[in-house]
Amino acid sequence: MSTVIPPRTQSPAAPPAAPARPPRLLDWRLRFGLLSLIWGFSFLLIKVGTGAYAPFQVTLGRLLFGTLVLVAAMAVKRERLPRGARTWAHLTVAAFFLNALPFSLFAFAELTIPSTLAGICNATSPLWGMAFSLVALSEDRPTRIRVAGLGLGFLGVLTVLGAWQGFHGLDARGTALALLASLSYPVGWIYVRRTLAGTADSHLSMTGAQLLLATAQLALVTPLFTSAPASFPAVPLLAIAALGALGTGVAMLIQYGLVAEVGPTTAQMVTYFVPVIATVAGVTILGESLRWTTPVGAAIVIAGAALTQVRRKG
């Protein structure tokens, strides 16, 4: 559920001594837990939103509220949007693969599959990422542990789906859409890494522009495939607002703060807690059913995804 912009490259000249950072209001562990909760509950919020609004409308609302949070943060920090046609062209592609497409696919998927399954499908993103990086990133070479993690992760997917039972009771279309959504993220990450690494603009500026572009994309698409709602039920509307403001806007601000403080390796571990929280929320709040294959398969997926992140020492 995240958006990743590569860090800026450092000048070869020795930088001046950085001023001491002001103390954080919350310890990073508390912010890590808060981010896990926000992203874990996002799948529940999608399910509630799609109960009254079309998937494209849910996605448009999500992006709109998320963009407003990022724009407000930019105003507070007095940051401006990036400049340059090339940067905006690459951000347009990134906005599609990292925001507009996966957010829409998850919304359509949850019309027919439970939020618990959508959350578990999201956890396959590191698996897709490793598979793609072996092809697209020549410097990212495989190890036996990472290849084993890839195989283990996809075994977990088959377990969740109940492959040996012939996928009985499973909505194939909805599940495929959720898996495609998780696949879209690493496509976007690799594209960003290849095209926008070394940019002089800040993470906040780049992400604000990216969300703005994704919102524009959905604003163009939504009227073509949906009609205006006849009514505006309050609870689903509040769910969409929370999904955007918290699950997209605030979550991104927390994520980048964590990356800056504890590094990307620790920060990305939040991915492994999201499906657990999504499952608990879906079962306890929405009353979704849970077969034994779901938690067992999810544990295998998470273990496999964790192994794919193990790097060579030295």
Side-chain angles (χ1 to χ4, degrees):
M1 303 293 289
S2 61
T3 305
V4 177
I5 297 295
R8 289 176 284 180
T9 55
Q10 299 298 318
S11 168
R21 292 181 180 177
R24 299 280 186 175
L25 294 178
L26 289 177
D27 181 80
W28 74 265
R29 297 169 187 83
L30 294 177
R31 284 179 280 125
F32 182 96
L34 179 60
L35 182 59
S36 301
L37 286 172
I38 290 174
W39 274 342
F41 271 85
S42 291
F43 297 95
L44 179 149
L45 295 174
I46 293 172
K47 174 65 79 172
V48 174
T50 54
Y53 299 97
F56 278 137
Q57 293 169 346
V58 172
T59 304
L60 176 59
R62 174 183 187 173
L63 288 168
L64 178 61
F65 283 107
T67 300
L68 291 175
V69 171
L70 268 294
V71 169
M74 289 178 63
V76 169
K77 295 190 175 184
R78 298 183 179 181
E79 293 199 21
R80 62 187 182 187
L81 292 170
R83 296 182 177 181
R86 176 183 174 277
T87 298
W88 280 90
H90 289 315
L91 283 174
T92 299
V93 178
F96 176 74
F97 283 109
L98 291 173
N99 302 114
L101 179 61
F103 291 179
S104 298
L105 289 174
F106 273 124
F108 275 101
E110 291 200 40
L111 291 176
T112 55
I113 67 172
S115 64
T116 54
L117 180 55
I120 293 170
C121 287
N122 180 73
T124 65
S125 190
L127 304 177
W128 299 118
M130 187 216 162
F132 283 138
S133 67
L134 296 180
V135 177
L137 300 173
S138 58
E139 71 274 15
D140 196 7
R141 306 317 306 163
T143 64
R144 290 181 179 179
I145 292 178
R146 298 182 70 197
V147 172
L150 185 64
L152 182 64
F154 284 114
L155 176 63
V157 172
L158 294 176
T159 303
V160 171
L161 303 182
W164 63 87
Q165 298 174 336
F167 305 102
H168 178 70
L170 181 74
D171 183 84
R173 177 178 176 274
T175 304
L177 291 176
L179 289 173
L180 283 174
S182 69
L183 182 150
S184 180
Y185 289 123
V187 172
W189 295 334
I190 291 174
Y191 180 84
V192 165
R193 185 170 168 181
R194 281 180 168 270
T195 60
L196 291 171
T199 178
D201 296 293
S202 70
H203 293 319
L204 179 58
S205 173
M206 297 286 281
T207 305
Q210 183 179 305
L211 282 185
L212 186 63
L213 287 166
T215 303
Q217 291 169 1
L218 261 294
L220 293 174
V221 169
T222 301
L224 299 178
F225 296 95
T226 64
S227 56
S231 61
F232 294 87
V235 172
L237 187 60
L238 288 174
I240 295 172
L243 178 65
L246 294 176
T248 303
V250 172
M252 287 182 178
L253 296 177
I254 295 175
Q255 182 195 29
Y256 288 132
L258 287 173
V259 170
E261 185 171 348
V262 300
T265 301
T266 300
Q268 75 180 1
M269 289 179 66
V270 71
T271 305
Y272 311 130
F273 292 87
V274 169
V276 177
I277 295 171
T279 299
V280 172
V283 172
T284 59
I285 298 177
L286 297 180
E288 295 177 345
S289 60
L290 187 67
R291 298 181 299 175
W292 70 267
T293 55
T294 302
V296 172
I300 298 174
V301 168
I302 293 170
L307 288 177
T308 65
Q309 304 307 302
V310 175
R311 307 285 177 175
R312 281 194 180 97
K313 295 182 179 180

